[in-house]
Amino acid sequence: DAKTTQPTSMDCAEGRAANLPCNHSTISGNEYVYWYRQIHSQGPQYIIHGLKNNETNEMASLIITEDRKSSTLILPHATLRDTAVYYCIATNQAGTALIFGKGTTLSVSS
Amino acid sequence: NAGVTQTPKFRILKIGQSMTLQCTQDMNHNYMYWYRQDPGMGLKLIYYSVGAGITDKGEVPNGYNVSRSTTEDFPLRLELAAPSQTSVYFCASRPGRNSGNTIYFGEGSWLTVV
């Protein structure tokens, strides 16, 4: 079934780009890859999502490999407020269930 | 447009008691989800529904029941509460598969079983 794999933790210096990888080799062919983050125990906050092409919004960029088996979330200029747990979310093969990865704890330091 | 609304926000239960966590969305979304998050851990899928009258088990369904009689509501029932069910519960919704729309989350329900 659906599975995502993310590094447990990453560090980033303030002002530098943070690149967070995710493997999602079981993703359904027509389903999107979603990225959310969570600060403490607040509800997950939407960052970005994509299907095939690279995506960019005011928060981040998403690079999806051509085979769609992995993606990278890029925070171009990380700030202290970007310290959070970042989740890559994929669906099961049927495209119905949404499965969270274990998340990457990003620590941004000055 | 309130999005996804969960009630109650906080609740303390005694072992063996039962309760229902309510989840309502006003966006006419077909897909709804219940997750639990234990301290320091990620979100685990309990149950999900792809439409009224249709529910399915997620990763950790034991000890819970759900129903989906309407598109708007997706209550989560805890029968015979146990300390292991102490957790934060999140409800979520999205229009459907391949929708390209974001997933909407409720603000969470903090449950303590003592």
Side-chain angles (χ1 to χ4, degrees):
Chain A
D1 215 340
K3 180 180 179 181
T4 63
T5 305
Q6 301 177 252
T8 302
S9 63
M10 295 184 67
D11 296 321
C12 181
E14 190 176 22
R16 303 298 296 268
N19 297 285
L20 291 85
C22 177
N23 288 319
H24 37 75
S25 58
T26 60
I27 193 171
S28 174
N30 295 318
E31 264 296 347
Y32 286 73
V33 177
Y34 299 87
W35 281 84
Y36 278 69
R37 72 181 183 185
Q38 191 179 29
I39 299 173
H40 301 302
S41 291
Q42 298 176 15
Q45 176 190 18
Y46 170 76
I47 302 173
I48 199 166
H49 69 287
L51 183 61
K52 296 180 181 178
N53 301 317
N54 300 337
E55 301 287 346
T56 296
N57 63 20
E58 64 276 5
M59 287 183 69
S61 295
L62 177 61
I63 308 298
I64 303 173
T65 58
E66 192 168 343
D67 63 8
R68 293 188 10 95
K69 292 186 177 182
S70 65
S71 61
T72 299
L73 176 73
I74 301 172
L75 306 179
H77 306 287
T79 70
L80 298 178
R81 287 180 294 180
D82 291 323
T83 293
V85 180
Y86 288 78
Y87 293 101
C88 168
I89 305 170
T91 66
N92 58 358
Q93 286 294 326
T96 52
L98 288 169
I99 307 297
F100 277 70
K102 294 185 178 180
T104 297
T105 299
L106 176 68
S107 299
V108 181
S109 57
S110 57
Chain B
N1 188 338
V4 178
T5 302
Q6 292 182 231
T7 57
K9 193 168 182 65
F10 300 98
R11 182 74 185 269
I12 298 175
L13 272 182
K14 293 184 178 180
I15 294 172
Q17 287 185 321
S18 300
M19 75 160 296
T20 299
L21 297 176
Q22 302 290 346
C23 177
T24 300
Q25 51 90 11
D26 60 358
M27 298 169 284
N28 201 33
H29 286 174
N30 287 317
Y31 286 22
M32 295 187 73
Y33 305 86
W34 273 108
Y35 294 91
R36 61 174 286 171
Q37 185 175 35
D38 299 335
M41 306 295 286
L43 280 77
K44 292 289 188 182
L45 182 62
I46 305 172
Y47 270 96
Y48 64 100
S49 169
V50 298
I54 305 170
T55 62
D56 209 344
K57 296 179 180 179
E59 303 167 279
V60 290
N62 292 341
Y64 306 93
N65 282 300
V66 293
S67 60
R68 186 90 183 274
S69 57
T70 67
T71 299
E72 296 78 18
D73 301 309
F74 190 40
L76 178 71
R77 178 82 176 165
L78 281 73
E79 304 282 1
L80 299 174
S84 61
Q85 294 178 303
T86 294
S87 193
V88 182
Y89 293 83
F90 290 100
C91 180
S93 75
R94 63 172 179 147
R97 61 173 303 181
N98 303 334
S99 64
N101 290 311
T102 62
I103 309 160
Y104 292 80
F105 284 88
E107 295 184 346
S109 296
W110 275 252
L111 176 66
T112 301
V113 182
V114 296

